[in-house]
Every structure is written in structure tokens, then in C-alpha cells.
Amino acid sequence: GFSLTGTSGKYATQDLLLDISGPVYGNIDLNSDSAVRPGVLMLGADLVLASTASFTKGGIIKGDGHTIKFVSGLTLPDNQMLQIASDTIIDGGGGTFTLDPHAQILVDSGYTLTLRNMTLKNTRNTVNKPSIRLTTTYSRLALDNVTLALADDFAFRTGQLYVHNDVNVTGTS
């Protein structure tokens, strides 16, 4: 795993360009509680997360058209946010991507987040803090072979939603 802890100060940066061919094991901490700004994970190639990989904190991901693939399951912890700041694909390989209570994926204006081959499970969110938020009408979410397992209402108030292949909705809300 890795952690972006960077230096503090007005002009501090906490960016990591990751261009590796092997899988990542362990915790991924993008330092979302930084006083300056969260860490930025920039992908120079597709990224494979091993079964032991997990996010411990949110942050910013710039996929630049690359894919983050996990091989079993992945969880975004309580109250953490992943901000998608360029076109990014997250491929679940048939596993479950769980968003713990009040966790959120935020898609910036002009970019597309593609969720593929997974079950997306939210555990607790509110109308004011949905599990996935598209920031403007130019933000896009593409679902491709995804099951949405919803524990709370899921609102798309702005942005564009694309459905490819099979997309199922299940849950109690």
C-alpha cells in the first residue's frame, strides 16, 4: 500500500503518478484530511488492486482514461470521499464496491466515471449527501454490467447517466 502524507504549507502538493504493472497490496491513504488539499493519485497505466488492498481515506483520482480494477471487493470507509478529476474506469471484476455510511464518490465537471462489472452497495446516505454525486450537467456516470444494491434512496439531480449492458437495481429504498 501507500500513503500520501506530503508536507504542509500554502503550496504543498501531495501528488503521486502511479505507473506500475503489478498489483497494489495493503492500505491506500490519499490523505483526505489534509489542511491543504487531499492527495492526488494520477494513473499512468491501469491499476490492479489485490484482494488485500483497501482505501483508508478518500482523495482525488485522475485516471486519465485508465482503469482501476479490484479482484475481490473494495470499500470506501465512513465519511470518506473519492473525487474523480478525469475520465476513470473502475472495474470490479465481479466483486462488490461498498460505500460505507456517508461515503461519497464525486465526479467533477466534464469527466466520466465508468463503473463496470460490479455490485455497488451503499450502506447509509442522505438526500443531501448521495453515494455518487455528479457536480454539474457536464459530469457523467456510466454503468456497465452493474448491480446497484441500495440501502437508501439514490438521487441523480444533475449530470448525465449512461446504462450499458445489464444494470440491475435492488435493495430496500
Side-chain angles (χ1 to χ4, degrees):
F2 55 87
S3 177
L4 301 179
T5 55
T7 58
S8 61
K10 184 175 181 181
Y11 301 104
T13 60
Q14 300 170 26
D15 299 347
L16 174 66
L17 173 60
L18 200 58
D19 188 353
I20 59 173
S21 59
V24 170
Y25 297 85
N27 295 333
I28 299 169
D29 178 353
L30 299 180
N31 199 25
S32 65
D33 57 359
S34 169
V36 179
R37 70 173 171 85
V40 178
L41 174 61
M42 299 175 293
L43 299 182
D46 291 350
L47 174 64
V48 176
L49 302 177
S51 60
T52 58
S54 64
F55 283 101
T56 56
K57 298 220 173 134
I60 300 169
I61 295 178
K62 290 185 175 183
D64 291 328
H66 295 291
T67 299
I68 298 172
K69 182 171 183 165
F70 54 91
V71 295
S72 63
L74 189 64
T75 300
L76 184 59
D78 297 0
N79 295 305
Q80 297 299 313
M81 180 178 66
L82 279 183
Q83 181 178 347
I84 305 300
S86 72
D87 294 335
T88 303
I89 300 163
I90 301 177
D91 188 327
T96 300
F97 188 6
T98 303
L99 304 177
D100 277 350
H102 306 290
Q104 185 177 60
I105 299 172
L106 178 76
V107 182
D108 282 351
S109 181
Y111 298 116
T112 301
L113 170 63
T114 300
L115 299 177
R116 179 184 294 156
N117 303 322
M118 71 174 69
T119 296
L120 179 68
K121 179 181 175 185
N122 78 324
T123 53
R124 174 116 174 83
N125 289 86
T126 64
V127 174
N128 293 330
K129 190 171 182 181
S131 297
I132 299 176
R133 192 175 110 211
L134 307 176
T135 58
T136 71
T137 57
Y138 302 107
S139 304
R140 297 171 295 274
L141 174 65
L143 302 174
D144 184 0
N145 289 322
V146 170
T147 296
L148 297 173
L150 306 177
D152 284 314
D153 292 346
F154 214 81
F156 288 100
R157 293 201 167 122
T158 188
Q160 302 167 43
L161 176 64
Y162 297 92
V163 174
H164 303 283
N165 299 307
D166 291 331
V167 174
N168 300 304
V169 179
T170 184
T172 58
S173 295

